Amino acid sequence: RYRTKYHGANIKHFSQLLLKHENIKVSDTTILHWLYESDILSPKARRKTKNRLKSDLKARKKAASSKKDIVRLDEKIQTIDRHIAHPRRPRCAYFGELIQLDASPHIWFGKEVTHLHLAIDDATGKIIGAYFDTQETLHAYYQITYQILTTYGIPAKFLTDRRTVFEYKRKNVSSDEKDTFTQFSYACHQLGIELESTSIPQAKGRVERLNQTLQSRLVIELRLAGISNIEEANEFLNSYIKEFNAMFSLPLNNTKTVFEKQPNKMKINQILAVLSTRKIDNGHCVRYKNKYYLPVTKNGIKTYLKKGTTAMVIESFDGTLYVNILDQLFILEEIPEHEILSKTFDAEYKEIKQRKYYIPPMTHPWKHASFLAYLAKQKHRSNGANV
């Protein structure tokens, strides 16, 4: 069973899986002894254990007489990797004081690499956000931020690595919505969350160790659950993270929380947005993601503005598109490339009634002047310097 159905599991997890799925109760120490006798190491084996087995294998190789046994033992020796240690540091004092973020690329299910985005609280070791995506994306980090805000509230600080989402990347032609560092940091700025990035993996060892643990345990759980796509995997995370936290996170009894009050969903929808500056074209439209949109009032009245008028397109967290023009908000209505029906030749053609839209009141995150002032403070946008 360990070589086939449960391959890759660490010993304690294997013992739990046998009890859960096979109704076989065997202690992890007994399993460890049996596997060691068969020259099988736990994925979490320490350097001392690996070195001891390696010495045993070398001695048996030296005493072996047949070429087949020598080749087999030599292959086993080569598969024993050195244990990589992660230096430890004291945990933070308070729940919500420091949240470590990371994305782990791995073949979590199926045959393709996907990225598991994680948020772990430093004080308790509790996973407070998790989301699968095909790549490391702003969308996925917004998703785990949404989970944190709606479940716990506003944390004090995020610690991330310097990858695409968080590192300054100079482009020959840079558009606002592709400057993902600015988008995420602007959202954190509005929420009052300090954002720090580091290029040293040991500085965020908590989430690095979590990645290793989940690559050992979660892959097997997903396989046993028959998960085959991202949608199913994200649904599975809802129950699995609760089970994982119950086993591994520290209790909150003696840990004070410093999460601030949970913002309402309307405010979250406005803050976790993608903002980008555009100009009205000669067809009175705004072009966004290769589609054309016309500004429309809340009463459904189309608005025709002068060519060259500055507009700030707002893609809110729920995907709704708005545009801020002179601090007045409009909804964006897509202009289709072709009409579905012809007014002249289709008898079933009906005039579309003007629909009413809900447009939220103008708020600080969507004020164009505030966004431009924030952009001006970003060094990478003013002089292209890499940080």
Side-chain angles (χ1 to χ4, degrees):
R1 285 187 176 91
Y2 188 82
R3 292 184 189 276
T4 56
K5 186 176 180 180
Y6 301 108
H7 65 85
N10 65 60
I11 306 306
K12 189 171 184 64
H13 189 205
F14 180 45
S15 174
Q16 294 167 347
L17 291 171
L18 284 176
L19 183 60
K20 181 178 179 181
H21 296 284
E22 314 288 346
N23 199 28
I24 297 173
K25 188 174 182 180
V26 188
S27 71
D28 53 339
T29 52
T30 301
I31 292 172
L32 183 63
H33 177 70
W34 288 344
L35 293 181
Y36 189 83
E37 285 184 338
S38 300
D39 303 328
I40 299 173
L41 280 175
S42 165
K44 296 296 181 182
R46 296 187 178 184
R47 180 184 298 180
K48 183 179 178 180
T49 305
K50 290 185 178 184
N51 286 341
R52 185 170 67 247
L53 180 58
K54 195 171 184 178
S55 297
D56 291 346
L57 290 171
K58 283 182 176 180
R60 284 156 56 187
K61 177 185 173 183
K62 191 174 181 180
S65 55
S66 73
K67 187 176 180 180
K68 185 178 179 180
D69 287 342
I70 292 173
V71 171
R72 180 177 59 82
L73 291 167
D74 192 52
E75 287 177 351
K76 288 186 176 182
I77 291 169
Q78 292 179 24
T79 58
I80 299 177
D81 299 319
R82 292 286 180 180
H83 177 67
I84 301 173
H86 290 274
R88 296 185 179 274
R89 61 167 180 78
R91 294 177 181 270
C92 287
Y94 303 118
F95 182 45
E97 182 179 352
L98 175 65
I99 309 300
Q100 297 185 19
L101 304 180
D102 196 19
S104 177
H106 192 66
I107 302 178
W108 294 98
F109 50 86
K111 297 180 179 179
E112 301 292 330
V113 172
T114 49
H115 288 63
L116 175 59
H117 298 69
L118 293 164
I120 182 172
D121 174 65
D122 189 79
T124 62
K126 185 175 184 177
I127 300 175
I128 59 174
Y131 189 82
F132 280 108
D133 209 341
T134 54
Q135 298 291 331
E136 185 174 8
T137 62
L138 174 65
H139 170 74
Y141 281 109
Y142 269 177
Q143 288 289 338
I144 60 175
T145 303
Y146 178 83
Q147 293 172 23
I148 295 167
L149 295 175
T150 53
T151 308
Y152 303 99
I154 303 172
K157 183 178 180 178
F158 281 149
L159 179 63
T160 73
D161 61 7
R162 289 179 174 171
R163 294 186 186 172
T164 307
V165 175
F166 306 110
E167 189 179 34
Y168 298 134
K169 294 273 186 179
R170 186 179 182 183
K171 299 180 177 66
N172 292 330
V173 180
S174 179
S175 56
D176 294 337
E177 70 271 17
K178 290 181 180 179
D179 184 359
T180 50
F181 179 92
T182 296
Q183 296 293 342
F184 191 82
S185 63
Y186 185 64
C188 291
H189 174 70
Q190 302 304 323
L191 290 163
I193 302 172
E194 182 183 350
L195 178 62
E196 180 184 339
S197 61
T198 176
S199 58
I200 304 171
Q202 290 83 356
K204 51 184 187 62
R206 199 82 59 205
V207 74
E208 295 287 349
R209 286 190 290 274
L210 174 63
N211 286 334
Q212 288 190 349
T213 301
L214 290 177
Q215 285 177 12
S216 168
R217 302 178 73 96
L218 180 57
V219 171
I220 298 161
E221 298 284 0
L222 289 167
R223 187 173 71 231
L224 294 175
I227 302 299
S228 60
N229 58 59
I230 282 183
E231 290 74 21
E232 293 174 349
N234 280 321
E235 183 65 30
F236 181 80
L237 284 176
N238 294 328
S239 58
Y240 179 76
I241 295 305
K242 292 177 183 177
E243 181 182 322
F244 184 91
N245 284 335
M247 286 193 291
F248 295 106
S249 66
L250 299 178
L252 293 174
N253 300 341
N254 300 319
T255 307
K256 180 182 176 182
T257 178
V258 293
F259 280 101
E260 293 187 13
K261 185 179 178 182
Q262 297 171 346
N264 61 50
K265 290 189 176 182
M266 180 183 292
K267 183 177 180 181
I268 296 172
N269 188 50
Q270 293 174 357
I271 290 175
L272 300 184
V274 178
L275 313 180
S276 49
T277 302
R278 291 290 189 274
K279 296 284 186 182
I280 301 293
D281 66 10
N282 54 10
H284 309 288
C285 290
V286 171
R287 187 179 181 184
Y288 184 72
K289 293 185 177 178
N290 295 321
K291 293 182 179 179
Y292 291 93
Y293 298 89
L294 194 66
V296 177
T297 67
K298 63 181 180 181
N299 294 320
I301 300 171
K302 295 178 172 60
T303 305
Y304 304 101
L305 298 161
K306 182 181 177 182
K307 177 185 176 182
T309 303
T310 300
M312 186 174 75
V313 176
I314 303 152
E315 184 177 356
S316 61
F317 181 73
D318 64 8
T320 307
L321 291 178
Y322 302 93
V323 63
N324 175 359
I325 301 171
L326 299 176
D327 276 349
Q328 182 178 352
L329 276 184
F330 300 87
I331 201 82
L332 282 181
E333 188 176 277
E334 185 181 348
I335 305 297
E337 191 171 344
H338 295 281
E339 291 283 2
I340 298 173
L341 297 173
S342 169
K343 186 176 182 179
T344 306
F345 297 102
D346 292 311
E348 64 270 30
Y349 178 87
K350 291 182 180 179
E351 290 283 352
I352 299 174
K353 292 182 179 179
Q354 288 184 348
R355 55 173 293 192
K356 290 188 175 182
Y357 296 97
Y358 170 74
I359 297 179
M362 174 62 71
T363 58
H364 179 65
W366 290 0
K367 288 186 180 294
H368 200 183
S370 300
F371 184 58
L372 292 177
Y374 189 81
L375 293 184
K377 294 178 182 178
Q378 307 305 303
K379 294 180 181 179
H380 68 296
R381 297 183 66 92
S382 58
N383 56 25
N386 287 325
V387 176

